[in-house]
Amino acid sequence: ACNEFLITWGEVTWDASSRCTSPNWQNGGPIGHWTFNDVGGGTSNVWLGTTPGFLKFCFTSAALDHIEVWMGIRFPSIVAPLLDLAKFERVGGGYDGFYWFP
């Protein structure tokens, strides 16, 4: 039996070696599956609109007793030098323009 479980509200895969899920895309509103974020008229106070982002869930121990949620957001290339200067970490792995957002 399991005392706790994780619901990601999306299609993700599990990577046992990294103890992380694949990206769980957060494109709410009229273009995504997060329709509860649409508060009417194709608007949302939490919808990321044309700036797609994702959540990644990672267990930080082999005991699977602590989980962290990482948020990756794509920023316009003109902003990249400022994010690099501010020491934001690039997501990498083929996600060009995406940075981890604390």
Side-chain angles (χ1 to χ4, degrees):
C2 178
N3 294 331
E4 299 178 51
F5 64 96
L6 175 66
I7 299 174
T8 63
W9 288 281
E11 298 80 27
V12 298
T13 57
W14 171 250
D15 179 7
S17 62
S18 68
R19 296 189 299 264
C20 295
T21 65
S22 61
N24 182 266
W25 294 96
Q26 305 297 303
N27 296 329
I31 64 168
H33 64 276
W34 283 72
T35 55
F36 71 88
N37 285 341
D38 186 347
V39 295
T43 63
S44 175
N45 57 353
V46 294
W47 178 34
L48 296 174
T50 59
T51 306
F54 61 84
L55 299 176
K56 186 174 180 180
F57 300 89
C58 296
F59 285 98
T60 58
S61 73
L64 305 178
D65 58 359
H66 181 82
I67 194 166
E68 290 185 354
V69 180
W70 294 73
M71 184 174 195
I73 298 178
R74 181 172 39 201
F75 287 91
S77 59
I78 196 167
V79 180
L82 295 173
L83 295 171
D84 291 335
L85 185 64
K87 306 287 188 214
F88 276 73
E89 182 183 349
R90 291 178 184 256
V91 171
Y95 295 97
D96 295 335
F98 282 84
Y99 287 81
W100 291 118
F101 193 77

